[in-house]
Structure formats: structure tokens, C-alpha cells
């Protein structure tokens, strides 16, 4: 028991370090570092896609949220990161006319940096799949080709939602 | 012109103060103080209600988000504030199969305080309507009656969305 008490600080540090390294272990997608903490970013918009039965919230880092709420989105400013969090849709248990988030699908991000990403229209495109956040590595062109219909809107589908100031 | 230049600091201070007081001037709903800053709260869930054509995001203050993400929601802890932000739904301009937020409808909140709100099932119920955030004053019973189907879920419809840790 005494031995355990002596070992306790070491055990605690060990657990903390392993939790830390687990958090850091999410590999880059398209060489882009994982944007830790996006789960607490503020909302820019939401959407329900009936063509693939998914529900989405669109979040942003501080630069993106400030740009969204001041209408400064064509182009979006350098440093803006927009995140799209995607779930399969499902029916809410206690209100059948409400569609709600079901299984988590992926979180995908656009990182605005005009210089760094000059070859991909000013954006870094990345995605992490599933609750384990496995990096998507099929190439930014997969993302870009889908976003082509909105190239005149700085490649962004999202229209920031109207909010009280 | 010189007079205007001299007056300019006073004018600027005047405008700043009036903007400040406008922000502070949002009146209480059901005697509950307006929860300033909810626009930057983190996401708990989202929903699309096809019975009244609205799209919603469900946000929370820090206590609510922590509870939601640790499954500590029946009951929700004292201090939790859950916010539901509601827009009429509309079609996204550049992707017709996507439903997106249209006109802002209202933001409504549940404030958990077992003692303070013992007569309304442990929750303070409030709503602010429109972009001008006009307080809803028709009585908490209007809110409670709609939430009766979920009284066994601590009166909350929302099922927190699954998110990577």
C-alpha cells in the first residue's frame, strides 16, 4: 500500500502523458495539422442534406466567425478556418417530426492561407473521418472538385446564418 | 468644422455608450436575465423540424456542454444553460438538396437551478424573439406544456450529438 502511495504521482503523470500523446496522435490530413479544440468553436450555420441524409453544423475559429458575422466572406480572410461537422440524420426519439444527429460521419475543414495554399485556390482542404478521426488522404482535389459550383463564393457553400448581435 | 473636431470625442463616446446600453437593454423574459454571449457557445446538437419548417442548433454554456459530452444529462446539473437557436428553413443557393438557415426566428433557453426554479420543474424557461431579441412574456407554462413529452428526460428534447473527444 505504501509502495502504491509512493508510485501514485508517477502513475498519474504517466496517465496524463499518455492522454496527452493520444490527443496529439491524430495524424495530419493532406499534411495539415489537426485543429485541436474545434468541438468548442462557435456556430456559423447548419444544414440538412436530403441527398445523402446528413445533418451538419458549420463552425469556425475566431477569425472565421468574426468574418462570417461581419459579412467579410468573399474572400474569407487569411487565418480563417471553417469546420463542417457531419452526422447521418436520424429521427429524434421524442419528436418524430424532428431530424437529429445520428452516427458521427466526419469533420472536414477549410484553412484559408492565400500564400501557403496558392495551388489549391487559397485553401487547405482536410478531413478526419469517424469518431477515431482517421485522416482523409485521397487528395485535396477530391474536395475541390465538389466545391467547384461555389468557386465564385471563395469556394465556400456555407451562407452564414443570421444572428442577433 | 473646428467645433465638429472638438465635439468628435464626445460624439464617439456618446455613440459607444448608446451601443453599450442597447446591448444591455435587452429586457428579461419571465424575469430571467438575457444570457449575453450565447452566440459563441459550443454546440450540443442540431435539428431540422419538418412540422414547422425550422432548422435549429442547440448550444450550451460551459456547464451544459460538459454535462452533454459526459452523458450527465438526467438530470442536467445546476448551472447548466441550454440554448436553442431557431431559423425558418430555406434552400441553400448553390446546393438545392441542402436545407439551410433562413430568417432568424428566436433563441430560447432553459436555465437549470433546482432551488430557484423549484416550481417549474427545476428549470427557468425563457425566449427572446427576432433579431431585436424581444422577450417572450406569455409565461413559462407555454414552454413547459410543449416539453411534457420529455419530462422523464429532465424536460429536455435534445439528445447530445456524438462527437470525437
Amino acid at each position: 500500500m505504501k509502495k502504491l502511495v509512493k508510485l501514485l504521482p508517477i502513475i498519474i503523470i504517466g496517465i496524463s502523458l499518455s492522454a496527452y500523446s493520444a490527443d496529439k496522435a491524430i495524424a495530419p490530413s493532406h499534411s495539415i495539422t489537426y485543429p485541436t479544440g474545434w468541438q468548442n468553436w462557435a456556430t456559423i450555420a447548419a444544414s440538412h442534406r436530403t441527398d445523402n441524409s446528413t445533418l451538419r453544423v458549420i463552425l469556425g475559429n475566431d477569425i472565421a466567425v468574426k468574418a462570417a458575422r461581419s459579412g467579410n466572406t468573399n474572400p474569407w480572410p487569411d487565418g480563417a478556418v471553417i469546420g463542417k461537422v457531419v452526422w447521418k440524420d436520424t429521427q429524434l426519439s421524442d419528436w418524430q417530426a424532428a431530424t437529429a444527429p445520428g452516427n458521427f460521419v466526419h469533420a472536414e475543414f477549410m484553412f484559408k492561407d492565400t500564400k501557403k495554399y496558392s495551388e489549391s485556390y487559397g485553401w487547405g482542404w482536410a478531413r478526419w473521418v469517424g469518431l477515431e478521426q482517421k485522416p482523409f488522404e485521397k487528395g485535396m482535389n477530391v474536395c475541390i472538385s465538389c466545391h467547384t459550383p461555389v468557386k465564385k463564393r471563395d469556394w465556400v457553400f456555407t451562407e452564414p446564418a443570421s444572428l442577433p448581435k
Side-chain angles (χ1 to χ4, degrees), chain A:
Chain A
M1 186 61 194
K2 273 188 182 173
K3 202 171 176 181
L4 183 64
V5 170
K6 279 185 185 172
L7 280 172
L8 213 53
I10 297 164
I11 294 167
I12 289 168
I13 289 167
I15 291 169
S16 309
L17 283 175
S18 72
Y20 178 79
S21 57
D23 184 47
K24 293 287 157 190
I26 295 172
S29 161
H30 303 145
S31 303
I32 296 171
T33 304
Y34 188 72
T36 310
W38 59 263
Q39 293 90 337
N40 293 323
W41 287 358
T43 304
I44 292 176
S47 71
H48 181 203
R49 268 183 67 179
T50 50
D51 52 342
N52 65 5
S53 305
T54 56
L55 203 63
R56 293 121 180 280
V57 293
I58 296 90
L59 311 176
N61 70 351
D62 289 346
I63 295 172
V65 167
K66 191 180 169 189
R69 295 182 185 173
S70 59
N72 184 26
T73 60
N74 201 359
W76 290 72
D78 270 12
V81 185
I82 307 171
K84 196 173 266 176
V85 191
V86 181
W87 297 270
K88 289 305 281 185
D89 65 12
T90 188
Q91 207 171 29
L92 193 67
S93 303
D94 297 292
W95 197 268
Q96 302 203 340
T99 303
N103 289 335
F104 177 83
V105 178
H106 61 235
E108 52 194 17
F109 298 86
M110 293 173 68
F111 297 76
K112 187 69 185 274
D113 187 326
T114 318
K115 285 185 186 169
K116 188 171 180 181
Y117 300 118
S118 61
E119 291 180 11
S120 50
Y121 305 102
W123 293 98
W125 309 71
R127 175 188 282 171
W128 286 270
V129 180
L131 288 173
E132 71 278 21
Q133 294 288 269
K134 192 179 168 190
F136 179 84
E137 287 286 55
K138 294 182 182 171
M140 292 193 193
N141 281 337
V142 177
C143 319
I144 291 165
S145 64
C146 273
H147 280 248
T148 305
V150 284
K151 63 182 175 184
K152 287 186 182 169
R153 305 186 68 249
D154 199 16
W155 298 86
V156 174
F157 279 104
T158 300
E159 297 165 15
S162 170
L163 279 174
K165 281 184 183 161

